[in-house]
C-alpha cells in the first residue's frame, strides 16, 4: 500500500508556472510507476504525465508536451509536476497516482492508488 498526498496547487496567471508535489508514505515508492492526471468540471479524468520506476523514462499527453515536466525523487518518496506556460485550459483538479504498468501508463484504470487531488486555477 502507498498513501499519496498532493500539494502545490493554487491560483496563477496565464503564462505562469506551478510545481506540484506528491508525497508518498511507505517503503516501496520506487516500485511504482507514477502518473499525474487532471479533471476539470464536467469532463473525464485526463492523463497528463507518467514516469518509470527509475525515473529514466517519461510519457506525456500531447497537451502537456513542451510545457510540463514530470520527475521523481525516490529518496524523498516524492513525484513532481513542473508546469510552465500555464493556460486557462489547464484549470483542473490534479491527481497523482501509483501503479504497476508502464506500457499502459496513460490509462487511469492501471493505477491502484490515488491522491486526494490539488486544485490548479489559471486566470486569463
Amino acid at each position: 500500500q502507498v498513501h499519496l498526498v498532493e500539494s502545490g496547487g493554487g491560483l496563477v496567471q496565464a503564462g505562469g508556472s506551478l510545481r506540484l508535489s506528491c508525497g508518498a508514505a511507505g517503503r516501496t515508492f520506487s516500485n511504482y510507476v507514477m502518473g499525474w492526471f487532471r479533471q476539470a468540471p464536467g469532463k473525464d479524468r485526463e492523463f497528463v504525465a507518467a514516469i518509470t520506476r527509475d525515473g529514466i523514462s517519461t510519457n506525456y499527453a500531447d497537451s502537456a508536451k513542451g510545457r510540463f515536466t514530470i520527475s521523481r525523487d525516490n529518496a524523498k518518496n516524492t513525484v513532481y509536476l513542473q508546469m510552465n506556460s500555464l493556460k486557462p485550459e489547464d484549470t483542473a483538479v490534479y491527481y497523482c497516482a501509483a501503479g504497476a504498468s508502464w506500457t499502459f501508463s496513460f490509462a487511469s484504470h492501471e493505477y491502484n492508488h490515488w491522491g486526494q487531488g490539488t486544485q490548479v486555477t489559471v486566470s486569463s
Side-chain angles (χ1 to χ4, degrees):
Q1 291 290 331
V2 59
H3 183 244
L4 306 174
V5 179
E6 302 95 334
S7 63
L11 279 66
V12 65
Q13 291 182 308
S17 299
L18 284 174
R19 188 180 76 160
L20 306 183
S21 298
C22 177
R27 301 177 182 177
T28 58
F29 176 74
S30 62
N31 291 343
Y32 293 97
V33 170
M34 297 298 299
W36 286 97
F37 292 77
R38 67 187 184 186
Q39 188 166 24
K43 296 184 179 180
D44 293 334
R45 188 166 296 185
E46 176 187 23
F47 170 74
V48 178
I51 189 165
T52 53
R53 295 167 179 84
D54 57 9
I56 298 300
S57 297
T58 56
N59 188 22
Y60 295 96
D62 288 341
S63 61
K65 290 179 180 177
R67 299 190 300 127
F68 294 2
T69 302
I70 187 171
S71 61
R72 68 191 296 164
D73 187 339
N74 287 345
K76 296 182 178 180
N77 280 15
T78 303
V79 63
Y80 305 94
L81 184 68
Q82 178 67 45
M83 304 187 294
N84 298 325
S85 301
L86 283 163
K87 306 173 182 179
E89 306 94 272
D90 296 317
T91 295
V93 176
Y94 283 71
Y95 300 89
C96 69
S101 173
W102 178 241
T103 301
F104 300 100
S105 62
F106 55 86
S108 61
H109 66 264
E110 295 292 341
Y111 292 83
N112 298 319
H113 305 95
W114 294 82
Q116 84 290 346
T118 186
Q119 177 71 47
V120 172
T121 302
V122 184
S123 63
S124 301

